[in-house]
Amino acid sequence: MEQPNITYIEHMSGGDKAFEQKLIGIIKAEFPKEKTTYFKNINADNFKEAAENVHKIKHKISILGLEKSYVVAVGYEFNLTEGSSDGKLEFDSILQNITNFLETL
């Protein structure tokens, strides 16, 4: 599985370490809440709401340099809007991968 990184954040910051830390702080604050809300909705079979959660989370997936995972998230979001949870296991694995990475920052 591809590994998250902060390369995009570093590129956006132009070397401004304070900006990098602020953006990382925002991700670290928002991601766990978004993940919790996603799990609440998917476990209740609220696929439409879960699709909205995935939509928000996929932006963080992109910022963390996870190109393949982003493609998975797009497909999973589409499946959820169609009433299918196909792709759930792979998406959940991506969430765990991000969680583990954020804990190291």
Side-chain angles (χ1 to χ4, degrees), residues 82-97:
E82 296 292 310
S84 169
S85 64
D86 287 351
K88 179 184 181 311
L89 292 178
E90 192 170 7
F91 184 76
D92 291 357
S93 177
I94 293 166
L95 295 181
Q96 187 59 53
N97 191 24

Side-chain angles (χ1 to χ4, degrees), residues 5-88:
N5 61 74
I6 59 169
T7 304
Y8 179 73
I9 294 171
E10 291 170 339
H11 178 73
M12 278 184 15
S13 76
D16 183 341
K17 296 297 181 189
F19 176 80
E20 290 175 16
Q21 289 307 309
K22 184 174 182 177
L23 188 52
I24 290 168
I26 291 168
I27 293 170
K28 287 176 80 171
E30 290 180 354
F31 180 77
K33 295 174 188 171
E34 292 172 353
K35 184 174 83 167
T36 298
T37 303
Y38 158 75
F39 278 120
K40 178 181 152 228
N41 284 320
I42 198 66
N43 290 334
D45 291 333
N46 293 330
F47 290 172
K48 183 176 188 255
E49 292 84 355
E52 292 171 10
N53 303 137
V54 171
H55 183 77
K56 288 181 183 178
I57 292 169
K58 75 181 182 185
H59 296 295
K60 288 175 181 63
I61 291 170
S62 178
I63 289 170
L64 293 173
L66 298 168
E67 296 175 12
K68 293 175 185 172
S69 297
Y70 183 85
V71 172
V72 170
V74 168
Y76 182 50
E77 178 185 4
F78 176 79
N79 290 344
L80 288 169
T81 63
E82 296 292 310
S84 169
S85 64
D86 287 351
K88 179 184 181 311

